[in-house]
Amino acid sequence: MTDRRELLEWIQEYEKRTGDKFQALPGFTLWYLPDRGFCQWKPMDKNRTILCWSLCHDAKFWRDALECVALQFGYDRIMTVCILPIKAYIRYWGWKIEQDFVKEDGLHRYICSDKQGREVVITPKCVFKDGSVNYFVTNELRRQYKPWKNADERE
């Protein structure tokens, strides 16, 4: 049996799990399906990127849906912020860490490949007092992984 909930119930679940207050952000689109949860996203035309800001429940479904939109309308990447332990997140998606750059501050920038060999760039966003790190995660939709020169330069 599937987990079907009203939008308000999914928002309450999101707030409980993240500790953040949900906000419907200006310029963002909010998608909701009772058995899939919700996804709040917006296109960033200048960067040819779809930004997924908040998401609850079926991450793989929403990611696939955003990839369809991105490819249909000429975007090159999907970006989100990961608030989970990053290595577990990488395993969840089935990505392979191709390069692990340790920055001067001790934080890691991971260059990964997805199951289709496309590049996934994982960059530290912020560090909290408890030492936990949020990361920007950028899924390239049209670029295959190739080794980087260093943490900031592609070959």
Side-chain angles (χ1 to χ4, degrees), residues 96-99 101 109-112 119-121 145 148:
K96 178 182 176 191
I97 298 173
E98 301 286 356
Q99 294 176 280
F101 295 104
R109 184 173 205 191
Y110 299 100
I111 312 301
C112 301
E119 189 172 86
V120 180
V121 180
Y145 165 76
W148 285 41

Side-chain angles (χ1 to χ4, degrees), residues 2-36:
T2 59
D3 191 2
R4 297 179 60 82
R5 301 184 193 186
E6 296 295 322
L7 178 58
L8 182 55
E9 293 174 296
W10 283 122
I11 289 172
Q12 290 167 343
E13 179 72 16
Y14 170 85
E15 291 177 343
K16 180 178 144 189
R17 287 180 181 252
T18 65
D20 293 335
K21 179 86 174 127
F22 174 81
Q23 296 178 27
L25 299 171
F28 282 74
T29 297
L30 179 64
W31 282 345
Y32 155 75
L33 290 170
D35 59 340
R36 301 289 188 165

Side-chain angles (χ1 to χ4, degrees), residues 43-50 74-77 79 140:
M44 297 174 19
D45 295 339
K46 185 176 178 182
N47 303 81
R48 294 173 37 187
T49 301
I50 298 286
Y75 292 90
D76 294 332
R77 63 198 55 85
M79 177 186 272
E140 294 291 344

Side-chain angles (χ1 to χ4, degrees), residues 79-117:
M79 177 186 272
T80 193
V81 174
C82 177
I83 62 172
L84 302 171
I86 197 62
K87 295 267 183 102
Y89 190 79
I90 290 167
R91 284 191 305 274
Y92 172 79
W93 290 103
W95 300 332
K96 178 182 176 191
I97 298 173
E98 301 286 356
Q99 294 176 280
D100 176 358
F101 295 104
V102 182
K103 307 280 271 179
E104 289 179 13
D105 56 9
L107 296 174
H108 294 255
R109 184 173 205 191
Y110 299 100
I111 312 301
C112 301
S113 59
D114 69 9
K115 292 176 182 177
Q116 290 139 357

